[in-house]
Amino acid sequence: MKPITIKPAKGLRGTVVVPGDKSISHRAAILAALSCGKTRINNFLFSDDCLVTLNVLAALGVKIRADKNKNEVLISSDGRLRPPKSLLWMGESGTSARVLLGVLAAQPFVTKLTAASSLLKRPMARVIVPLRLMGADIRAHKKGRDEFLPLAVFPSKLSAIKWRQEVSSAQVKSAILFAGLYAQGRTCVTESTVSRDHTERMLKLFHASLTAKGNKICINKSVLKTPGDVNISGDISSAAFFIVAALLVKNSKVVLKNVGINPTRIGVISVLKRMGGRIRFLNRKDLFEPQADIEVSSSDLRATVIDEQEIPGLVDEIPVLMVAASLAHGKTIIRGVKELRVKETDRICSMSQNFLKLGVNVRVRAVNKNETLEIIGGRSLNSAKLYSFSDHRTAMSMFVAGLAAGGVCRLDDVFCINKSFPGFLTAFKQLIC
Ligand code: S3P
């Protein structure tokens, strides 16, 4: 793919409708497939990752009709999955692989999973270990102390566990809760800090027997019933790129329509407000996931400290928060960022290398088995040749940096953006003055 040119923007003005939430789209499709009846999913995210989940469910015998023009997916199911005819392809979607593993572990047939090279490198032991404790028979590729795709899942009877999750992960929690739908007894997951709770909300919507109190979620073996219609809010992680861009580019005022504002996902908003960002929620609606329009105006940002406990609520937004920090006055400190090493790429590395070219002073320090980032902000960003490292969030963050830079930038490859946000560049073009 040809590199793109990014010119500094003189202002961003207008209204944007960001596409449906990626995490919720995966879960809506999976639960619709596991419940009896017809489910209509509105505002489904037609991105590469969510299409992986749809294709896997189709390979497991689920009837799916997808209308991309209407962002609508219709799923008809008898609640049962069927043996696939071939290997299940997880593409680059870590969420599909990890979350579906909880479902596949409970099926009365063998499944084999493989994936694209970037996902073959991502750790899977975090999901496999608790599922094995439940009785799952999973044989994966081992390297060092971790396990990886490709892997095979053999039939087994699952029983409930009480699992304490030291590093909060919504994918791990979801896999265990999905396995808990089939397990004998009451499965409970306790997290040190609550990670995104879409699975819990959606399991309730599909009538699972689930309780969530504080950091502890418990589920009993359940038969799911479809609610009929599921409406998905705009993805706050996608909205974050427009929010940061509108804050950084002078003369900007942008409204983002119908964005999900689930309290476990809006860490990015709290941090940006703390940095002095002018951000307002308008027209709040309390659906099964709360949503609102988000109004953002250009602001002078100041540095902040982001603590380790805040990370689960903003883990995917760290790259774009780093861009905000690069132009904020003072030293921003972000603690507990180790997980960024095992995302689609090593995001500490991808962002640091780009920052070097933009002239941003960034330091990475090892602290108590974790890592801390220090970013000295406030100087104008150089005109530079930037790299996505084939990672959607690095690419979109660098696009935002380019809009706010002092000169023209080039970005090598934006194809990876389709993983979560097809239409990203077009949506931005409509705002640039
Ligand atoms: C996701 C959870 C997060 C996030 C990922 C999507 C999900 O990962 O980074 O993009 O949909 O459950 P972890 O569970 O590894 O924190």
Side-chain angles (χ1 to χ4, degrees):
M1 189 164 194
K2 262 179 47 191
I4 62 158
T5 302
I6 313 160
K7 293 191 189 135
K10 294 197 177 73
L12 299 171
R13 298 193 85 85
T15 300
V16 193
V17 183
V18 293
D21 188 280
K22 179 155 91 71
S23 295
I24 303 177
S25 295
H26 285 294
R27 288 152 170 85
I30 295 169
L31 289 181
L34 299 184
S35 63
C36 215
K38 285 189 184 146
T39 310
R40 182 205 312 268
I41 309 174
N42 302 307
N43 204 28
F44 185 86
L45 171 64
F46 279 86
S47 75
D48 290 353
D49 270 16
C50 296
L51 290 177
V52 165
T53 290
L54 287 190
N55 289 336
V56 170
L57 294 172
L60 292 164
V62 180
K63 286 201 187 73
I64 300 176
R65 263 187 29 220
D67 186 337
K68 205 174 156 188
N69 295 325
K70 283 165 69 187
N71 292 327
E72 183 186 276
V73 173
L74 292 170
I75 297 190
S76 309
S77 177
D78 58 5
R80 283 179 46 223
L81 304 177
R82 304 206 162 44
K85 294 199 172 65
S86 52
L87 277 174
L88 297 176
W89 175 249
M90 298 295 157
E92 297 195 22
S93 179
T95 307
S96 311
R98 294 196 181 119
V99 168
L100 278 166
L101 211 48
V103 175
L104 297 174
Q107 302 308 313
F109 49 81
V110 180
T111 44
K112 293 185 176 165
L113 281 59
T114 192
S117 59
S118 70
L119 184 53
L120 294 181
K121 293 186 208 118
R122 295 182 67 187
M124 291 292 151
R126 51 184 66 195
V127 210
I128 296 174
V129 168
L131 292 176
R132 274 203 193 113
L133 272 178
M134 295 178 84
D137 184 358
I138 301 171
R139 300 176 208 171
H141 174 69
K142 287 202 167 85
K143 200 167 152 214
R145 280 153 126 214
D146 216 314
E147 299 189 57
F148 300 86
L149 291 165
L151 59 78
V153 188
F154 295 88
S156 57
K157 260 202 130 25
L158 302 186
S159 37
I161 51 164
K162 306 273 174 279
W163 182 254
R164 210 189 153 78
Q165 184 72 22
E166 288 316 326
V167 179
S168 298
S169 161
Q171 293 175 348
V172 176
K173 171 174 69 179
S174 303
I176 300 170
L177 293 177
F178 284 163
L181 282 173
Y182 300 88
Q184 274 319 322
R186 189 169 171 76
T187 299
C188 296
V189 183
T190 307
E191 296 185 287
S192 45
T193 313
V194 182
S195 62
R196 62 189 72 188
D197 67 355
H198 305 306
T199 296
E200 296 89 301
R201 287 171 186 259
M202 197 158 288
L203 278 165
K204 280 190 189 154
L205 194 68
F206 280 79
H207 305 277
S209 161
L210 175 135
T211 55
K213 266 201 204 117
N215 295 8
K216 186 173 180 183
I217 306 112
C218 294
I219 190 162
N220 293 316
K221 191 169 177 162
S222 309
V223 174
L224 300 178
K225 268 197 344 235
T226 174
D229 270 50
V230 176
N231 300 312
I232 301 183
S233 322
D235 196 323
I236 182 82
S237 299
S238 299
F241 299 102
F242 294 90
I243 296 172
V244 172
L247 292 173
L248 295 181
V249 174
K250 301 258 177 293
N251 308 311
S252 297
K253 185 159 189 170
V254 171
V255 175
L256 299 140
K257 299 293 287 180
N258 301 328
V259 182
I261 52 162
N262 178 317
T264 62
R265 287 286 296 281
I266 52 171
V268 61
I269 305 287
S270 316
V271 168
L272 290 169
K273 279 190 169 172
R274 207 153 82 205
M275 293 173 82
R278 292 191 292 154
I279 304 172
R280 286 202 303 161
F281 288 164
L282 311 168
N283 306 322
R284 281 180 88 113
K285 287 187 205 121
D286 273 310
L287 309 173
F288 81 99
E289 289 274 353
Q291 62 171 237
D293 299 339
I294 305 181
E295 186 195 79
V296 194
S297 314
S298 320
S299 309
D300 260 337
L301 298 185
R302 52 181 178 270
T304 190
V305 177
I306 302 176
D307 268 326
E308 192 165 347
Q309 300 88 284
E310 291 184 273
I311 299 298
L314 49 74
V315 62
D316 293 337
E317 288 68 71
I318 296 172
V320 80
L321 281 172
M322 289 174 73
V323 175
S326 74
L327 285 163
H329 297 285
K331 178 159 87 176
T332 292
I333 299 175
I334 314 179
R335 301 200 173 103
V337 295
K338 193 175 71 174
E339 269 298 293
L340 295 198
R341 295 271 184 213
V342 288
K343 293 294 177 189
E344 282 80 342
T345 188
D346 174 342
R347 287 187 180 148
I348 295 183
C349 191
S350 66
M351 291 299 294
S352 303
Q353 294 208 27
N354 281 313
F355 270 10
L356 203 67
K357 299 186 165 222
L358 289 164
V360 181
N361 187 341
V362 58
R363 245 181 83 190
V364 188
R365 288 198 299 123
V367 181
N368 298 337
K369 294 198 196 151
N370 210 314
E371 288 181 88
T372 293
L373 292 171
E374 293 179 356
I375 299 154
I376 316 267
R379 276 184 39 198
S380 140
L381 306 180
N382 296 339
S383 152
K385 212 170 146 197
L386 305 168
Y387 292 91
S388 70
F389 294 82
S390 302
D391 169 37
H392 58 142
R393 299 204 199 278
T394 302
M396 291 186 273
S397 301
M398 284 306 112
F399 185 81
V400 172
L403 293 179
V408 174
C409 291
R410 307 255 286 163
L411 179 56
D412 69 329
D413 171 23
V414 286
F415 187 71
C416 52
I417 294 177
N418 290 335
K419 191 174 201 292
S420 65
F421 196 162
F424 171 83
L425 294 174
T426 316
F428 254 112
K429 272 185 197 138
Q430 285 160 2
L431 294 181
I432 297 174
C433 306

mmCIF file of all heavy atoms in Angstrom, residues 134 160-164 176-177 186-190 211 216-219:
data_model
loop_
_atom_site.group_PDB
_atom_site.id
_atom_site.type_symbol
_atom_site.label_atom_id
_atom_site.label_comp_id
_atom_site.label_asym_id
_atom_site.label_seq_id
_atom_site.Cartn_x
_atom_site.Cartn_y
_atom_site.Cartn_z
ATOM 1 N N MET A 134 -11.061 -25.826 34.523
ATOM 2 C CA MET A 134 -12.491 -26.178 34.440
ATOM 3 C C MET A 134 -12.674 -27.557 33.802
ATOM 4 O O MET A 134 -13.794 -28.037 33.693
ATOM 5 C CB MET A 134 -13.248 -25.128 33.618
ATOM 6 C CG MET A 134 -13.278 -23.759 34.264
ATOM 7 S SD MET A 134 -14.118 -22.501 33.255
ATOM 8 C CE MET A 134 -15.826 -22.794 33.709
ATOM 9 N N ALA A 160 -17.400 -25.921 37.320
ATOM 10 C CA ALA A 160 -17.193 -24.529 37.734
ATOM 11 C C ALA A 160 -15.865 -24.347 38.466
ATOM 12 O O ALA A 160 -15.357 -25.285 39.088
ATOM 13 C CB ALA A 160 -18.337 -24.111 38.642
ATOM 14 N N ILE A 161 -15.308 -23.125 38.363
ATOM 15 C CA ILE A 161 -14.135 -22.774 39.184
ATOM 16 C C ILE A 161 -14.376 -21.401 39.818
ATOM 17 O O ILE A 161 -15.271 -20.659 39.394
ATOM 18 C CB ILE A 161 -12.809 -22.687 38.370
ATOM 19 C CG1 ILE A 161 -12.973 -21.770 37.132
ATOM 20 C CG2 ILE A 161 -12.297 -24.035 38.017
ATOM 21 C CD1 ILE A 161 -11.648 -21.345 36.525
ATOM 22 N N LYS A 162 -13.560 -21.111 40.804
ATOM 23 C CA LYS A 162 -13.515 -19.748 41.366
ATOM 24 C C LYS A 162 -12.171 -19.212 40.910
ATOM 25 O O LYS A 162 -11.130 -19.746 41.306
ATOM 26 C CB LYS A 162 -13.554 -19.775 42.903
ATOM 27 C CG LYS A 162 -14.719 -20.557 43.473
ATOM 28 C CD LYS A 162 -15.949 -19.677 43.613
ATOM 29 C CE LYS A 162 -17.176 -20.485 44.056
ATOM 30 N NZ LYS A 162 -17.886 -21.218 43.008
ATOM 31 N N TRP A 163 -12.174 -18.202 40.057
ATOM 32 C CA TRP A 163 -10.925 -17.730 39.452
ATOM 33 C C TRP A 163 -10.625 -16.307 39.886
ATOM 34 O O TRP A 163 -11.489 -15.430 39.796
ATOM 35 C CB TRP A 163 -11.036 -17.806 37.922
ATOM 36 C CG TRP A 163 -9.779 -17.382 37.211
ATOM 37 C CD1 TRP A 163 -9.598 -16.214 36.537
ATOM 38 C CD2 TRP A 163 -8.559 -18.113 37.101
ATOM 39 N NE1 TRP A 163 -8.332 -16.173 36.010
ATOM 40 C CE2 TRP A 163 -7.665 -17.332 36.348
ATOM 41 C CE3 TRP A 163 -8.129 -19.359 37.583
ATOM 42 C CZ2 TRP A 163 -6.378 -17.747 36.047
ATOM 43 C CZ3 TRP A 163 -6.846 -19.771 37.281
ATOM 44 C CH2 TRP A 163 -5.984 -18.968 36.523
ATOM 45 N N ARG A 164 -9.407 -16.098 40.375
ATOM 46 C CA ARG A 164 -8.969 -14.740 40.730
ATOM 47 C C ARG A 164 -7.997 -14.264 39.668
ATOM 48 O O ARG A 164 -6.972 -14.892 39.427
ATOM 49 C CB ARG A 164 -8.272 -14.789 42.102
ATOM 50 C CG ARG A 164 -8.449 -13.533 42.825
ATOM 51 C CD ARG A 164 -7.682 -13.337 44.079
ATOM 52 N NE ARG A 164 -7.543 -11.903 44.172
ATOM 53 C CZ ARG A 164 -8.499 -11.094 44.584
ATOM 54 N NH1 ARG A 164 -9.642 -11.589 45.028
ATOM 55 N NH2 ARG A 164 -8.324 -9.793 44.581
ATOM 56 N N ILE A 176 -13.984 -17.313 30.442
ATOM 57 C CA ILE A 176 -14.376 -18.128 31.609
ATOM 58 C C ILE A 176 -15.899 -18.084 31.799
ATOM 59 O O ILE A 176 -16.541 -19.101 32.053
ATOM 60 C CB ILE A 176 -13.644 -17.642 32.887
ATOM 61 C CG1 ILE A 176 -12.130 -17.760 32.708
ATOM 62 C CG2 ILE A 176 -14.098 -18.434 34.111
ATOM 63 C CD1 ILE A 176 -11.315 -17.096 33.812
ATOM 64 N N LEU A 177 -16.484 -16.887 31.642
ATOM 65 C CA LEU A 177 -17.942 -16.783 31.829
ATOM 66 C C LEU A 177 -18.687 -17.557 30.745
ATOM 67 O O LEU A 177 -19.701 -18.205 31.013
ATOM 68 C CB LEU A 177 -18.378 -15.311 31.839
ATOM 69 C CG LEU A 177 -17.881 -14.483 33.033
ATOM 70 C CD1 LEU A 177 -18.299 -13.019 32.901
ATOM 71 C CD2 LEU A 177 -18.393 -15.053 34.366
ATOM 72 N N ARG A 186 -21.326 -23.266 39.985
ATOM 73 C CA ARG A 186 -21.333 -21.803 39.878
ATOM 74 C C ARG A 186 -19.914 -21.308 39.636
ATOM 75 O O ARG A 186 -19.044 -21.449 40.501
ATOM 76 C CB ARG A 186 -21.888 -21.261 41.201
ATOM 77 C CG ARG A 186 -22.193 -19.797 41.239
ATOM 78 C CD ARG A 186 -22.990 -19.536 42.526
ATOM 79 N NE ARG A 186 -23.156 -18.120 42.788
ATOM 80 C CZ ARG A 186 -24.016 -17.334 42.144
ATOM 81 N NH1 ARG A 186 -24.745 -17.833 41.177
ATOM 82 N NH2 ARG A 186 -24.114 -16.059 42.452
ATOM 83 N N THR A 187 -19.683 -20.733 38.466
ATOM 84 C CA THR A 187 -18.352 -20.238 38.099
ATOM 85 C C THR A 187 -18.235 -18.777 38.527
ATOM 86 O O THR A 187 -19.140 -17.979 38.241
ATOM 87 C CB THR A 187 -18.164 -20.346 36.567
ATOM 88 O OG1 THR A 187 -18.282 -21.719 36.207
ATOM 89 C CG2 THR A 187 -16.811 -19.806 36.121
ATOM 90 N N CYS A 188 -17.156 -18.436 39.196
ATOM 91 C CA CYS A 188 -16.976 -17.031 39.614
ATOM 92 C C CYS A 188 -15.613 -16.501 39.161
ATOM 93 O O CYS A 188 -14.618 -17.222 39.219
ATOM 94 C CB CYS A 188 -17.042 -16.900 41.136
ATOM 95 S SG CYS A 188 -18.644 -17.356 41.801
ATOM 96 N N VAL A 189 -15.595 -15.250 38.722
ATOM 97 C CA VAL A 189 -14.346 -14.572 38.356
ATOM 98 C C VAL A 189 -14.231 -13.316 39.211
ATOM 99 O O VAL A 189 -15.171 -12.522 39.280
ATOM 100 C CB VAL A 189 -14.333 -14.157 36.866
ATOM 101 C CG1 VAL A 189 -13.001 -13.518 36.494
ATOM 102 C CG2 VAL A 189 -14.618 -15.339 35.964
ATOM 103 N N THR A 190 -13.070 -13.155 39.869
ATOM 104 C CA THR A 190 -12.818 -11.920 40.621
ATOM 105 C C THR A 190 -11.622 -11.232 39.986
ATOM 106 O O THR A 190 -10.595 -11.877 39.746
ATOM 107 C CB THR A 190 -12.516 -12.236 42.106
ATOM 108 O OG1 THR A 190 -13.574 -13.050 42.592
ATOM 109 C CG2 THR A 190 -12.431 -10.971 42.946
ATOM 110 N N THR A 211 -24.667 -12.975 38.325
ATOM 111 C CA THR A 211 -24.680 -11.864 39.282
ATOM 112 C C THR A 211 -23.321 -11.164 39.219
ATOM 113 O O THR A 211 -22.290 -11.812 39.057
ATOM 114 C CB THR A 211 -24.895 -12.345 40.739
ATOM 115 O OG1 THR A 211 -23.890 -13.304 41.020
ATOM 116 C CG2 THR A 211 -26.267 -12.932 40.966
ATOM 117 N N LYS A 216 -16.589 -9.029 41.544
ATOM 118 C CA LYS A 216 -16.848 -10.476 41.456
ATOM 119 C C LYS A 216 -18.076 -10.763 40.603
ATOM 120 O O LYS A 216 -19.154 -10.211 40.840
ATOM 121 C CB LYS A 216 -17.043 -11.027 42.870
ATOM 122 C CG LYS A 216 -17.179 -12.523 42.903
ATOM 123 C CD LYS A 216 -17.193 -13.016 44.338
ATOM 124 C CE LYS A 216 -17.330 -14.522 44.394
ATOM 125 N NZ LYS A 216 -17.420 -15.001 45.762
ATOM 126 N N ILE A 217 -17.897 -11.635 39.616
ATOM 127 C CA ILE A 217 -19.006 -12.011 38.727
ATOM 128 C C ILE A 217 -19.185 -13.513 38.819
ATOM 129 O O ILE A 217 -18.211 -14.258 38.716
ATOM 130 C CB ILE A 217 -18.717 -11.639 37.259
ATOM 131 C CG1 ILE A 217 -18.349 -10.168 37.163
ATOM 132 C CG2 ILE A 217 -19.904 -11.918 36.359
ATOM 133 C CD1 ILE A 217 -16.931 -9.969 36.779
ATOM 134 N N CYS A 218 -20.438 -13.965 38.997
ATOM 135 C CA CYS A 218 -20.691 -15.403 39.070
ATOM 136 C C CYS A 218 -21.756 -15.774 38.059
ATOM 137 O O CYS A 218 -22.697 -15.017 37.812
ATOM 138 C CB CYS A 218 -21.171 -15.791 40.463
ATOM 139 S SG CYS A 218 -19.895 -15.550 41.715
ATOM 140 N N ILE A 219 -21.604 -16.959 37.483
ATOM 141 C CA ILE A 219 -22.577 -17.427 36.488
ATOM 142 C C ILE A 219 -22.903 -18.898 36.747
ATOM 143 O O ILE A 219 -22.033 -19.679 37.113
ATOM 144 C CB ILE A 219 -22.031 -17.204 35.054
ATOM 145 C CG1 ILE A 219 -23.124 -17.454 34.026
ATOM 146 C CG2 ILE A 219 -20.803 -18.062 34.745
ATOM 147 C CD1 ILE A 219 -22.822 -16.854 32.660
#
